[in-house]
Structure formats: C-alpha cells, structure tokens
Amino acid sequence: MKRAQRIAIITERLIFNPNTFFTLTSFSRELEAAKSTLSEDIAIISDTLKQSGAGFVLTKQGIQGGVSYCPKYSPEKALKEVQAVCKTLNTPNRVLPGGFLYWSDILSNPAIIKKLARIVAGEFLNSGADFVLTMETKGIPFAFMTAEALGIPLVMARRMSKVYEGSAVSINYFTGSGSLESMSLPKRAIKPGSTALIVDDFIKKGGTALGMCTLMKEFDVQVAGMAFMLSQNQQQRFISGDISLMTLSRPSEAVPYVTPSSWLKDRVSEGEE
C-alpha cells in the first residue's frame, strides 16, 4: 500500500475506536508494512490531529503497548463547538409557552451530541472510570456517546426495574422540585469496587444526580465525576464538583438564555493545552 492508503486506514481504525489500543503488530500484519514504517505513519496522524485540535494519539511501549486515539479537543475547538450549539438554542422560536426551552432536536442529533460528548470525555480521560452511568431517558444519547469516546460501557438506571433484567437494587430520592421518585439498577449491571462517571443531559438542583450517587454507594462503587450538557443557574445544589458544557440563565421570567460554561472560556483565556 501507498503511505496515503495506510494513513487513511489507520486513522479510520483509531477515530472510530477511541481509547482502544491497537498494536503495531496487528497493523503490520493487516497492512503488510514494517513497524518502523507504521511508526512514521502514526506520527503524521498524531501531528495532524493535534494541529486540528481534535485530539492526540497515545503511544504505550512494551508487550501490552500500542497506539490509541484520545479525543481531547483543544480549548479553542471545544469552546467553538459549544458556542455553535448555544447560538442554535438561543434562537427566539425555541422559547415555549411558560418560558421552557425546546432542545429535543439537539439531544437527538448524533453529529452535535458526538462533539459535545467528546469534550466531556476529554476531561475524564484519566479518571479511571469503568463505566458511564445515566438516568433514563433523555440523557441516554449524550451518555452513550461519552461512553463510546472513553471506550467504556454505558449503564442506565431506570425508574422501574424490568423483569428481564433480573433482581435489582432500588432507592428513593427527592428531585429538585421536592417530589419523591425512585430509581433502580440490576445487580448484574456493575461490579462492586468499580468506578462510575455520571453523565446526564440537564441539571437544576441536582436531586437526580444525588440519587445516582446514593445508588452507587449501594453497589460499593466510587464516583469519578459528574458531567452534564446543560445546567441551570442555582444558588443551592444537592451536589458539588460537577461540570457542565452550557449554562441556562433567565434574564426575564419568560426568556431562557444559554451560554458556554465559564470553565470553557477560562481555559481559552489562560491558553491551557
């Protein structure tokens, strides 16, 4: 194969399987090329991804070593992608009666969700998370794409357990509005002692997020972090230490307004790599 052909194939393998290691031996057998030649090809791919701000290629030495693609966007690219979504959400025709914001089309758009999920995944590359946990149902696409970017499974808590999932652990929790809800998780879904990354679409006061944290305690699972696509400004929260990509504020009672979260802007101004 010519170099351009090899680079195209290797890039496709890496980008469609983020955080999955491929050995040079496997590439060498498939592409019938020497490892030294493949190392040069991978160096070109790594430089290109870094210059475009789309991530980097991680290399590990040794018997268990190999190369993998880490989708960590540059601060500038991350802010640009989030700003584009904010601009879409701030169009006047999205305001519903009662001051609600219509964004179901954003939550179901794979192209948009994949980009936002990879921004979140880049923040938790070294978190040690074994799986992504979310609550049904609207946050599933965002959580699934985040899990895909991290190369780990998705686990979904339900409001009611299903017979076909076997025995389950259920808890009750208070939502931000003060109502009492329940969530359950099959006992076979996760292993005790593992680590979870909580991901959801929206957070207001954090009642559901706190419920998921409580549920993880029942499984003896640690929480590596919590990430949300959109958060609403609140003086008091049930949780802390979470991040969100966008912030929803209300200049008036009937007008919602969405802006990129301050930490995204701060990273650009500080020139963080």
Side-chain angles (χ1 to χ4, degrees):
M1 287 188 180
K2 296 180 180 179
R3 167 158 287 177
Q5 293 173 312
R6 293 196 306 269
I7 288 178
I9 292 174
I10 295 172
T11 303
E12 187 269 343
R13 295 284 193 281
L14 295 176
I15 290 181
F16 279 88
N17 300 276
N19 286 295
T20 301
F21 275 94
F22 294 87
T23 63
L24 289 182
T25 301
S26 64
F27 281 137
S28 179
R29 291 173 179 172
E30 179 183 358
L31 304 177
E32 297 182 350
K35 293 182 180 180
S36 58
T37 301
L38 293 172
S39 295
E40 295 173 0
D41 297 341
I42 292 170
I44 294 173
I45 296 171
S46 180
D47 290 340
T48 303
L49 290 172
K50 188 174 182 180
Q51 290 177 15
S52 67
F56 61 93
V57 175
L58 179 65
T59 303
K60 283 188 178 181
Q61 306 294 332
I63 299 177
Q64 301 296 328
V67 294
S68 68
Y69 166 60
C70 299
K72 184 174 176 64
Y73 285 2
S74 67
E76 293 79 12
K77 182 175 178 63
L79 180 60
K80 182 179 179 180
E81 297 292 352
V82 174
Q83 285 175 331
V85 179
C86 291
K87 183 178 179 180
T88 302
L89 289 175
N90 286 326
T91 53
N93 61 357
R94 287 187 173 273
V95 181
L96 302 173
F100 295 102
L101 179 67
Y102 176 77
W103 69 318
S104 295
D105 58 330
I106 300 295
L107 293 172
S108 59
N109 189 317
I112 295 176
I113 293 299
K114 177 172 285 189
K115 293 176 182 178
L116 298 183
R118 292 198 167 189
I119 296 173
V120 168
E123 299 303 310
F124 294 95
L125 286 175
N126 300 315
S127 65
D130 297 303
F131 63 92
V132 169
L133 174 70
T134 194
M135 182 69 183
E136 63 175 3
T137 55
K138 291 191 299 180
I140 293 175
F142 183 50
F144 181 80
M145 289 293 188
T146 303
E148 185 263 350
L150 289 170
I152 56 180
L154 170 68
V155 176
M156 183 179 64
R158 297 183 181 275
R159 291 178 175 83
M160 294 182 64
S161 61
K162 303 296 182 180
V163 176
Y164 54 78
E165 292 184 330
S167 59
V169 175
S170 298
I171 65 164
N172 295 322
Y173 69 98
F174 284 99
T175 65
S177 60
S179 61
L180 184 64
E181 301 283 351
S182 64
M183 69 171 65
S184 65
L185 192 64
K187 291 183 177 180
R188 299 187 182 188
I190 52 180
K191 296 180 180 179
S194 54
T195 303
L197 172 63
I198 294 175
V199 177
D200 211 346
D201 62 320
F202 181 71
I203 180 173
K204 188 176 181 181
K205 290 187 177 181
T208 302
L210 180 60
M212 285 190 278
C213 291
T214 303
L215 185 60
M216 289 299 94
K217 290 181 180 179
E218 296 294 325
F219 282 85
D220 191 25
V221 168
Q222 293 184 343
V223 176
M226 292 171 283
F228 304 88
M229 189 188 306
L230 181 65
S231 65
Q232 183 168 334
N233 278 335
Q234 291 289 323
Q235 293 182 348
Q236 294 183 344
R237 283 259 184 90
F238 296 138
I239 62 170
S240 61
D242 57 296
I243 67 168
S244 61
L245 298 180
M246 298 174 288
T247 302
L248 175 66
S249 58
R250 294 183 181 276
S252 66
E253 281 297 320
V255 181
Y257 187 68
V258 182
T259 57
S261 294
S262 58
W263 65 271
L264 286 167
K265 302 175 185 177
D266 293 341
R267 288 201 317 172
V268 174
S269 62
E270 295 170 0
E272 180 181 330
E273 294 294 335

